[in-house]
Amino acid sequence: GKKVHSYTDEDRNKPHVRAGVRDIHWIQYEEQQKFGEEYKNKTLRGVVDQVISGSTLRVELQLNKAQNSFCNVVVNIAGVNAPQVIDSRSRQASKRAARNDAEDLSRFAIAAREWTEERLLGQYVDVKVLHCSNKQILAQIFNDKGRIGPALLKKGLAQYESWS
């Protein structure tokens, strides 16, 4: 089997150890505004860690390659809005028509999330932070085939959001 190494605090500063250790900071909701302002108009390389909805992602972004410094942050794809998946067990009982509308919306939300997952989950992306509104980071997301937002619109999986 592969040998597992344990390192002391003193070892952490040795180059061969440091090269294999990532320093990851999880950006909390309260910190999103500050992060968005600090990185506004900058493009960061990252890996998509989670697809929350068709237009909302958790991304591990590389802040400093030399220091192996990363952050994990939630970003919303600018210009589009896909519905979030609603857990039918958490909805309150309502009229049949309203339930059917919610079920249609939920199917649409699942399709949008699955489409985005298939293309981005675990993949490298470039994230251009555009701005932060109400602690929500809005960014353009690029993969090797181009921008994701317009592709979601073309597939009919999201609505255009002019404010973002």
Side-chain angles (χ1 to χ4, degrees):
K2 193 173 185 179
K3 185 176 180 183
V4 176
H5 298 280
S6 69
Y7 298 102
T8 65
D9 287 339
E10 295 165 6
D11 291 333
R12 287 184 62 87
N13 293 323
K14 293 180 180 174
H16 74 282
V17 173
R18 187 72 192 134
V21 176
R22 293 182 300 161
D23 179 24
I24 301 175
H25 175 70
W26 289 72
I27 305 297
Q28 301 300 315
Y29 178 73
E30 298 79 28
E31 301 172 280
Q32 297 246 119
Q33 189 76 33
K34 181 182 174 191
F35 179 88
E37 290 168 6
E38 182 176 348
Y39 289 97
K40 184 176 181 176
N41 295 320
K42 294 181 181 167
T43 301
L44 302 167
R45 188 80 169 149
V47 174
V48 175
D49 191 41
Q50 179 186 10
V51 176
I52 298 167
S53 75
S55 59
T56 305
L57 313 170
R58 178 175 298 283
V59 184
E60 186 176 304
L61 297 171
Q62 186 173 44
L63 300 179
N64 187 314
K65 189 173 185 175
Q67 295 177 355
N68 223 7
S69 176
F70 295 80
C71 73
N72 200 295
V73 65
V74 173
V75 297
N76 294 289
I77 301 174
V80 299
N81 185 23
Q84 291 194 348
V85 177
I86 300 168
D87 184 352
S88 62
R89 294 170 294 183
S90 67
R91 285 192 304 238
Q92 294 180 351
S94 61
K95 295 179 184 175
R96 184 178 182 93
R99 235 185 357 259
N100 288 341
D101 287 345
E103 288 171 5
D104 288 344
L105 184 63
S106 184
R107 279 194 290 277
F108 178 63
I110 290 168
R113 183 177 67 188
E114 287 177 351
W115 186 89
T116 302
E117 281 178 345
E118 288 172 7
R119 278 142 191 85
L120 299 182
L121 189 61
Q123 301 298 312
Y124 283 102
V125 293
D126 290 314
V127 177
K128 182 176 182 183
V129 178
L130 299 179
H131 65 278
C132 195
S133 174
N134 220 16
K135 297 183 183 176
Q136 293 185 3
I137 296 170
L138 298 167
Q140 291 179 330
I141 309 294
F142 301 85
N143 69 358
D144 57 349
K145 294 181 181 168
R147 285 181 40 211
I148 296 302
L152 277 164
L153 292 173
K154 286 178 188 173
K155 289 286 183 183
L157 297 171
Q159 294 178 327
Y160 174 70
E161 289 287 344
S162 61
W163 61 267
S164 66

